[in-house]
C-alpha cells in the first residue's frame, strides 16, 4: 500500500546477521525433503544446483508455517491470480500492479490477509471487489461486531460481496472475467486468493509424526511431537484453546514466537511449558481496528457452554477532549461466577489497549467483578476516569447482582404478547430510527407517565447505548414493573442489521446518555447565514452529532447546505435515516482523515451550490401473489432498484408469504387448521406455480429451462441477491397469523411488521408497486 516505503525495513534478520551474532548456519534456498527418524537425519536439497545432502540432528524443530489455500476453480492457474505468504509474493504483486496497472482487483476472502490487501489496493488507486463466502468478514469475531467493518469497507469504495464465492476465471486478454456464485461476471486485472491458510504438514506426515484432529502437527505442552526428539512450532501445529481447552489452529505471530522460545528451551535441556493459546488478535480496516481475545459467541454456542454477554459503546478517551471516538465492546462471561470467557472490540482508537487488558484478565482467570476494580492509567487524552474496561465490568456486575436484567436482539425483534418495547430516547435520536412497535417515553418524563405502561407486561427498555435504559429499568423495577434493558441499546440493535421503523410518540425533551439534558451550544449568529455551514462534531458520541445537526437545521433556510464532521462511525449510518425521517436531503457521506464528512441540504428538493441534489429513491413493493412469474418480476424490479441506489422494502402478505417459507419442514406447534393450511400451500420459492400455462408443472419447467439458457438467475438466486443488496424483506404479521405461518418457517433475513411498517416506507418513497 506504500505505507512502508523502504522494502529493506521489512527484513528483521538476515542470514549474515544471524551468523555474525549467533553463529547460526542459515541455509536459504534449501528444501527439506525427508526426515529419517531412525538415523536422525534430514535430507535437504540445495535448489540452485540441485545437490542433496543429509544433515544429522540431535533435536529437530519444525517450523514450516501455513500455506495459503488456493481455490480449485477453472482459470485459477492464470499468472494474474496470486496468493500472499512471502516477500517474494509481495514483490510479484507489486510488479504486476506497476507493469499492468489493473483498474480493478478481486480479493477472495475476508480474513486478515483479505482485509489488509483490500485496503492496500485501495491506497494504490485500484478498485476492489471483496468476496466472502460467509455472511461476515473477520471470522474470529461475531457477526454483529463485523457489521461496522462492512460499513467501513463500503464507505471507502470496496465492493463487498458477502455470501458470494468465485466459481471460475476466464482469460479475456487484458482482463480476467470472474464468474461469481450469484451468476454475475466482473472483469479484473488481478485476483488475490486470501481464502485462508492450512498447516504445512507434508514433511511431518511423511516422517510418520502424528497429525491432530484439526489437521495440524500434534504437539504436547512442551512443543514435542509424537517423536520426543522432534519438536514443532508456529502455524503448522495444533494447540489447545486457553478458555475452552479444545484442540484448535490459531496462526498468529505472538503464539508462534513464544512457541519458538519454549521449543528451544526444551531442545537444550530446560523444562519450559506452553500454556495454550487464547487467540488474541487485531486487524486494521481503513479507519477502524477490530480486536478479539478468548472465545467468541459462535464457539460458545457450538460447545454448548453457558454464557452471558454485554455490549458497551464508550469513547476511547474523555469525551470533552478533542477527537474522542467510540469503541463498541462485547464481553462474554460465565453467568455462574462472572469468569471472563472472551471479548471483542471495534473502533478507531483505543481498541488495542482494551483488548490487551482483557486478554491479561482472561490469562489471569479474572472475573467481571475484578474488572470493576482494575486501576488503569487516566488522563483526558488517553482515557476516562471510568475506563471502558471498568465500564464493561460495571455493566456485567450489575446484571449478575440482579440490579437490572438484560435482554438481547433476538428477544427485542420478536417480543411476546406479554412484553412491551419502550424507547426512552429523544426525538432527534428516534428520527434516525427505532425498533418497530416501540412506545416512546423519554427518560425525563418516565416517572410522570408510568400510568401509560401496563403492569401485567414485562417492559423491554432500550436507549441509544444502554445507560438510560438501565436508569429506566431501575425506576420501573422500584415501581413494581418487571423490566429488562437491551444491552448496548439501539446501537447494538443496528449492528445486528436491525432497521428502525416508526415511533408511536415523539418525546418533548432532548437528553443524552448521561440521563441529563444535552446542552447544545447555541452560538449561531442571528441574521443572514453563510451559504454553507460547518458543524465540527468530532469527539461527540452518538447521539451528539445528530443532535448538533438537528439544532443547526432549526435556523437554516430551505436549500441551505450544512456540513457535519464527526469521528463516530455510527453517525455515518444514522445520518441517512435521520435525513429521510426529517425531510432533509443527504448529498454524501465520505470518510476523510480518520473522520466522517456528511453534507446535508435542508429540505427534500432543490439544487444546492455545487450541483444537483438527488431526490429520495425509496421504493416499496407489496407482494400479494404467490405465483412464480409474479415473484420473479417482483425480485427483478427489487434487485434492479437496489442496484440503482434505491432503498427497497418488499412487504409480503397473504399468498406472497409462501415465497419466504423454508423449503424444508420446520418443527413448530400448530393447530389442526394451521397444519392443513401449511399442507395446501407451496413451501418456498422452489414450489411455486405459474399464473398461466402451468400445465401440471410442464410450463414451469419450460420457463425455468429458458431462464437457465438465457443466464437469468433463478428465483432463489434473485432472493439471495436482494438480501445481499440490502433489500428489506418484511412479512405481514397479520397474514402470518391468519394463515398459520410461524416465524421459524421463514427464511433467514426476514423482518416481521404490520401496516405501519409498510406505510412508513411507502410514504417516504417515490414508487409503490402492488404485485
Amino acid at each position: 500500500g506504500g505505507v512502508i516505503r523502504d522494502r529493506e525495513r521489512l527484513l528483521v534478520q538476515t542470514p549474515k546477521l544471524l551468523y555474525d551474532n549467533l553463529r547460526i548456519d542459515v541455509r536459504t534456498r534449501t528444501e527439506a525433503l525427508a526426515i529419517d527418524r531412525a538415523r536422525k537425519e534430514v535430507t535437504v536439497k540445495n535448489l540452485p544446483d540441485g545437490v542433496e545432502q543429509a544433515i544429522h540432528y540431535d533435536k529437530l524443530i519444525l517450523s514450516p508455517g501455513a500455506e495459503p489455500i488456493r481455490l480449485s476453480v477453472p482459470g485459477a492457474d492464470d499468472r494474474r491470480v496470486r496468493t500472499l505468504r512471502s516477500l517474494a509474493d509481495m514483490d510479484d504483486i507489486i510488479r504486476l500492479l506497476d507493469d499492468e496497472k489493473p483498474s480493478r482487483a478481486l480479493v477472495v476472502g475476508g480474513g486478515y490477509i483479505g482485509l489488509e490487501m483490500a485496503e492496500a489496493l485501495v491506497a494504490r488507486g485500484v478498485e476492489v471487489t471483496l468476496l466472502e463466502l460467509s455472511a461476515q468478514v473477520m471470522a474470529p469475531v461475531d457477526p454483529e461486531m463485523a457489521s461496522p467493518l462492512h460499513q467501513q469497507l463500503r464507505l471507502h469504495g470496496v465492493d463487498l460481496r458477502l455470501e458470494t464465492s468465485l466459481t471460475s476465471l476466464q482469460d479475456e486478454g487484458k482482463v480476467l472475467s470472474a464468474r461469481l456464485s450469484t451468476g454475475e461476471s466482473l472483469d479484473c486485472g488481478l485476483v488475490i486468493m486470501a481464502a485462508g491458510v492450512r498447516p504445512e504438514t507434508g514433511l511431518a506426515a511423511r516422517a510418520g509424526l502424528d497429525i491432530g484432529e484439526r489437521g495440524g502437527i500434534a504437539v504436547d505442552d512442551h512443543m514435542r511431537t509424537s517423536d520426543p526428539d522432534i519438536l514443532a512450532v508456529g502455524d503448522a501445529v495444533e494447540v489447545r484453546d486457553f478458555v475452552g481447552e479444545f484442540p484448535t489452529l490459531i496462526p498468529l505471530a505472538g503464539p508462534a514466537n513464544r512457541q519458538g522460545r519454549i521449543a528451544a528451551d526444551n531442545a537444550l535441556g530446560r523444562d519450559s511449558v506452553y500454556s495454550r493459546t487464547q487467540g488474541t488478535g487485531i486487524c486494521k480496516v481503513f479507519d477502524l481496528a477490530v480486536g478479539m481475545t478468548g472465545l467468541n459467541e459462535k464457539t460458545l454456542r457450538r460447545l454448548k457452554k453457558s454464557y452471558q454477554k454485554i455490549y458497551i459503546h464508550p469513547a476511547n478517551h474523555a469525551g470533552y477532549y478533542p477527537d474522542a471516538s467510540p469503541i463498541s465492546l462485547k464481553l462474554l462471561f460465565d453467568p455462574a461466577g462472572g469468569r471472563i470467557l472472551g471479548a471483542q472490540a471495534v473502533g478507531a482508537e483505543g481498541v488495542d489497549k482494551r483488548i490487551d487488558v482483557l486478554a491479561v484478565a482472561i490469562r489471569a482467570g479474572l472475573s467481571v467483578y475484578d474488572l470493576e476494580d482494575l486501576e488503569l492509567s487516566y488522563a483526558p487524552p488517553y482515557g476516562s476516569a471510568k475506563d471502558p474496561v471498568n465500564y464493561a465490568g460495571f455493566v456485567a456486575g450489575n446484571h449478575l447482582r440482579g440490579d437490572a436484567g438484560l435482554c438481547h436482539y433476538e428477544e427485542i425483534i420478536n417480543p411476546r404478547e406479554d412484553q412491551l418495547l419502550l424507547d426512552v430516547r429523544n426525538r432527534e435520536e428516534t428520527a434516525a430510527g427505532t425498533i418497530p412497535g416501540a412506545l416512546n417515553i423519554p427518560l425525563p418524563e418516565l416517572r410522570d407517565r408510568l400510568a401509560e405502561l401496563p403492569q401485567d407486561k414485562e417492559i423491554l427498555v432500550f436507549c441509544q447505548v444502554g445507560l438510560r435504559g438501565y436508569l429506566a429499568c431501575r425506576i420501573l423495577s422500584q415501581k413494581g414493573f418487571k423490566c429488562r434493558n437491551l444491552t448496548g441499546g439501539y446501537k447494538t440493535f443496528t449492528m445486528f442489521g436491525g432497521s428502525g421503523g416508526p415511533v408511536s410518540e415523539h418525546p418533548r425533551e432532548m437528553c443524552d446518555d448521561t440521563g441529563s439534558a444535552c446542552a447544545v451550544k447555541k452560538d449561531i449568529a442571528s441574521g443572514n447565514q453563510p451559504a454553507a455551514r460547518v458543524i465540527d462534531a468530532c469527539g461527540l458520541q452518538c447521539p451528539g452529532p445528530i443532535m448538533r445537526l438537528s439544532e443547526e437545521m432549526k435556523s437554516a433556510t430551505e436549500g441551505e447546505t450544512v456540513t457535519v464532521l464527526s469521528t463516530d462511525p455510527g453517525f455515518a449510518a444514522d445520518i441517512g435515516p435521520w435525513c429521510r425521517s426529517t425531510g432533509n436531503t443527504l448529498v454524501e457521506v465520505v470518510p476523510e482523515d480518520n473522520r466522517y464528512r456528511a453534507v446535508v441540504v435542508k429540505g427534500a428538493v432543490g439544487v444546492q451550490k455545487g450541483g444537483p441534489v438527488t431526490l429520495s429513491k425509496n421504493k416499496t413493493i407489496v407482494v400479494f401473489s404467490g405465483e412464480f412469474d409474479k415473484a420473479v418480476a417482483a425480485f427483478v424490479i427489487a434487485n434492479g432498484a437496489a442496484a440503482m441506489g434505491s432503498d427497497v422494502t418488499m412487504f409480503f402478505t397473504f399468498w406472497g408469504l409462501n415465497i419466504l417459507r423454508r423449503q424444508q419442514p420446520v418443527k413448530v406447534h400448530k393447530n389442526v387448521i394451521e397444519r392443513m393450511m401449511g399442507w395446501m400451500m407451496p413451501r418456498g420459492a422452489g414450489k411455486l406455480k405459474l399464473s398461466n400455462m402451468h400445465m401440471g408443472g410442464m410450463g414451469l419447467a419450460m420457463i425455468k429451462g429458458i431462464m437457465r439458457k438465457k443466464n437469468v438467475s433463478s428465483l432463489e438466486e434473485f432472493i439471495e441477491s436482494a438480501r445481499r443488496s440490502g433489500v428489506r424483506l418484511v412479512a405481514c404479521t397479520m397474514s402470518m397469523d391468519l394463515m398459520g405461518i410461524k416465524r421459524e418457517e421463514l427464511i433467514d433475513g426476514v423482518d416481521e411488521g404490520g401496516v405501519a411498517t409498510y406505510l412508513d416506507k411507502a410514504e417516504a418513497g417515490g414508487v409503490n408497486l402492488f404485485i
Side-chain angles (χ1 to χ4, degrees):
V3 174
I4 300 169
R5 298 188 181 279
D6 183 2
R7 181 187 185 280
E8 297 304 308
R9 297 194 58 160
L10 296 173
L11 302 175
V12 180
Q13 282 284 6
T14 65
K16 185 176 186 304
L17 280 173
L18 286 169
Y19 183 80
D20 291 345
N21 294 333
L22 302 171
R23 286 300 185 268
I24 296 176
D25 177 11
V26 178
R27 310 280 184 93
T28 60
R29 303 275 294 156
T30 302
E31 181 183 2
L33 300 176
I35 301 169
D36 187 331
R37 292 164 55 191
R39 299 172 64 90
K40 302 186 88 172
E41 289 180 346
V42 179
T43 301
V44 301
K45 178 180 180 180
N46 183 273
L47 296 180
D49 59 19
V51 174
E52 296 183 9
Q53 70 173 118
I55 301 177
H56 178 78
Y57 67 84
D58 298 307
K59 299 288 184 179
L60 176 63
I61 300 176
L62 302 179
S63 181
E67 58 179 339
I69 295 173
R70 195 176 181 99
L71 300 179
S72 298
V73 299
D77 56 350
D78 189 279
R79 62 179 180 80
R80 290 162 290 188
V81 180
R82 302 286 181 176
T83 58
L84 179 60
R85 185 189 189 189
S86 65
L87 282 172
D89 294 335
M90 179 196 74
D91 293 337
D92 289 341
I93 293 170
I94 290 175
R95 192 176 301 113
L96 191 150
L97 290 168
D98 289 340
D99 293 347
E100 303 190 20
K101 297 179 173 53
S103 60
R104 175 170 292 278
L106 178 65
V107 178
V108 182
Y112 285 95
I113 298 297
L115 293 172
E116 291 169 351
M117 280 301 303
E119 181 174 350
L121 291 166
V122 168
R124 293 181 65 97
V126 180
E127 294 183 13
V128 175
T129 294
L130 176 60
L131 304 185
E132 170 53 51
L133 184 60
S134 73
Q136 66 166 95
V137 300
M138 188 52 65
V141 302
D142 291 314
E144 73 278 13
M145 300 303 291
S147 176
L149 307 181
H150 301 162
Q151 176 187 328
Q152 185 74 190
L153 289 162
R154 288 169 174 139
L155 278 171
H156 282 82
V158 175
D159 176 21
L160 176 62
R161 310 286 189 95
L162 299 174
E163 297 180 281
T164 304
S165 61
L166 177 68
T167 59
S168 68
L169 291 163
Q170 180 68 41
D171 184 357
E172 301 287 352
K174 290 187 176 181
V175 297
L176 286 168
S177 178
R179 184 78 172 176
L180 311 183
S181 58
T182 59
E184 302 169 84
S185 294
L186 58 87
D187 292 340
C188 55
L190 170 66
V191 177
I192 302 293
M193 291 285 191
V197 297
R198 63 168 62 93
E200 176 56 83
T201 59
L203 185 66
R206 291 194 298 273
L209 300 178
D210 290 350
I211 304 300
E213 61 184 79
R214 297 298 306 277
I217 302 171
V219 294
D220 63 13
D221 58 2
H222 289 70
M223 308 312 299
R224 293 182 297 236
T225 68
S226 53
D227 183 325
D229 290 324
I230 302 178
L231 302 94
V233 300
D235 296 355
V237 306
E238 193 170 287
V239 295
R240 299 201 75 79
D241 183 86
F242 183 82
V243 178
E245 299 186 354
F246 52 84
T248 186
L249 298 170
I250 302 180
L252 294 172
N257 265 269
R258 292 193 298 279
Q259 291 162 14
R261 294 173 61 89
I262 290 166
D265 279 349
N266 286 299
L268 298 172
R270 175 179 287 171
D271 185 21
S272 292
V273 174
Y274 181 69
S275 57
R276 297 168 291 170
T277 304
Q278 63 194 75
T280 305
I282 191 166
C283 182
K284 179 180 180 294
V285 184
F286 292 100
D287 300 328
L288 291 182
V290 56
M292 72 295 297
T293 187
L295 297 183
N296 56 35
E297 187 176 0
K298 294 178 289 189
T299 302
L300 288 166
R301 283 181 174 177
R302 188 177 70 248
L303 298 174
K304 297 182 180 179
K305 283 185 173 289
S306 178
Y307 70 92
Q308 182 56 277
K309 60 181 176 179
I310 60 100
Y311 300 87
I312 60 171
H313 306 281
N316 68 311
H317 59 61
Y320 55 81
Y321 195 85
D323 296 332
S325 60
I327 296 173
S328 291
L329 191 150
K330 177 179 184 177
L331 186 70
L332 296 148
F333 55 95
D334 187 341
R339 184 172 72 99
I340 303 166
L341 303 175
Q344 301 157 40
V346 182
E349 300 286 345
V351 167
D352 53 342
K353 172 181 175 180
R354 277 71 193 198
I355 288 296
D356 285 346
V357 171
L358 291 167
V360 172
I362 291 174
R363 179 68 57 169
L366 301 186
S367 73
V368 298
Y369 302 115
D370 296 311
L371 298 185
E372 297 176 307
D373 297 329
L374 290 184
E375 187 172 330
L376 304 173
S377 60
Y378 162 62
Y382 306 108
S384 300
K386 181 169 62 180
D387 190 86
V389 173
N390 301 129
Y391 187 9
F394 293 140
V395 174
N398 285 344
H399 168 70
L400 292 180
R401 294 185 186 98
D403 292 341
L406 298 177
C407 64
H408 298 289
Y409 172 81
E410 297 82 3
E411 301 168 275
I412 213 88
I413 59 169
N414 191 25
R416 303 190 309 264
E417 287 293 323
D418 63 341
Q419 293 175 326
L420 176 107
L421 303 185
L422 178 63
D423 185 345
V424 295
R425 298 175 301 154
N426 62 60
R427 179 166 57 178
E428 283 73 12
E429 295 166 271
T430 59
T434 188
I435 300 174
L439 173 68
N440 182 225
I441 302 177
L443 180 64
E445 301 174 17
L446 183 59
R447 291 177 177 86
D448 299 326
R449 299 174 61 183
L450 293 175
E452 299 176 31
L453 299 174
Q455 286 275 0
D456 60 342
K457 289 192 175 186
E458 182 183 34
I459 313 298
L460 304 182
V461 178
F462 65 95
C463 62
Q464 190 64 26
V465 297
L467 175 56
R468 280 172 292 169
Y470 167 77
L471 297 174
C473 258
R474 297 296 294 151
I475 294 169
L476 291 170
S477 62
Q478 290 164 10
K479 295 296 184 180
F481 288 89
K482 187 178 180 182
C483 177
R484 285 188 291 150
N485 181 32
L486 175 61
T487 177
Y490 185 73
K491 185 166 185 177
T492 298
F493 173 78
T494 59
M495 290 171 67
F496 275 94
S499 53
V503 294
S504 56
E505 182 182 334
H506 286 309
R508 297 187 288 273
E509 186 174 342
M510 194 164 56
C511 58
D512 61 20
D513 265 347
T514 64
S516 60
C518 189
V520 178
K521 293 182 179 179
K522 298 180 180 179
D523 54 2
I524 305 167
S526 59
N528 294 330
Q529 301 298 328
R533 308 185 189 197
V534 177
I535 300 172
D536 188 351
C538 294
L540 292 181
Q541 305 307 301
C542 184
I546 288 289
M547 289 159 52
R548 287 288 305 272
L549 174 60
S550 177
E551 189 69 20
E552 192 83 9
M553 280 299 192
K554 293 175 183 176
S555 60
T557 58
E558 194 78 10
E560 189 173 354
T561 301
V562 178
T563 298
V564 190
L565 304 176
S566 173
T567 50
D568 181 5
F571 171 73
D574 290 344
I575 184 62
W578 182 87
C579 286
R580 290 193 294 271
S581 178
T582 56
N584 296 299
T585 302
L586 177 61
V587 178
E588 64 176 1
V589 183
V590 292
E592 184 181 83
D593 300 328
N594 294 324
R595 60 187 184 181
Y596 304 90
R597 177 171 56 83
V599 179
V600 178
V601 174
K602 183 165 183 176
V605 295
V607 178
Q608 62 159 328
K609 292 183 179 181
V613 177
T614 303
L615 300 180
S616 171
K617 298 177 68 176
N618 293 355
K619 293 176 177 60
T620 51
I621 303 174
V622 180
V623 185
F624 180 84
S625 172
E627 294 165 321
F628 176 82
D629 43 335
K630 294 175 183 177
V632 169
F635 277 97
V636 167
I637 296 169
N639 279 286
M644 295 174 67
S646 290
D647 181 1
V648 183
T649 298
M650 301 180 73
F651 190 77
F652 294 81
T653 183
F654 280 94
W655 315 117
L657 286 170
N658 292 311
I659 303 169
L660 302 181
R661 294 179 70 193
R662 296 180 184 272
Q663 295 193 23
Q664 299 301 322
V666 177
K667 289 186 178 180
V668 291
H669 177 72
K670 289 188 175 187
N671 59 38
V672 175
I673 298 299
E674 289 173 336
R675 286 200 298 271
M676 290 178 62
M677 291 283 287
W679 293 332
M680 292 186 291
M681 294 186 299
R683 184 182 284 120
K687 302 294 184 181
L688 305 182
K689 297 180 179 180
L690 282 178
S691 61
N692 290 292
M693 296 175 59
H694 184 65
M695 297 182 295
M698 292 177 57
L700 178 64
M702 289 171 59
I703 195 66
K704 286 184 175 181
I706 294 170
M707 290 170 66
R708 285 192 295 270
K709 288 180 180 179
K710 299 290 186 180
N711 288 322
V712 177
S713 298
S714 67
L715 176 55
E716 291 86 350
E717 290 170 334
F718 275 130
I719 294 172
E720 282 301 306
S721 178
R723 288 177 54 204
R724 286 192 299 272
S725 301
V727 174
R728 187 183 179 198
L729 310 180
V730 181
C732 173
T733 51
M734 181 199 72
S735 298
M736 289 174 63
D737 187 47
L738 290 175
M739 303 176 72
I741 295 176
K742 307 299 183 182
R743 177 68 185 86
E744 296 83 354
E745 295 182 89
L746 301 181
I747 60 176
D748 294 335
V750 177
D751 295 335
E752 293 180 60
V755 68
T757 302
Y758 157 66
L759 289 174
D760 173 63
K761 290 295 185 180
E763 289 170 359
V767 174
N768 183 42
L769 302 177
F770 190 95
I771 297 179

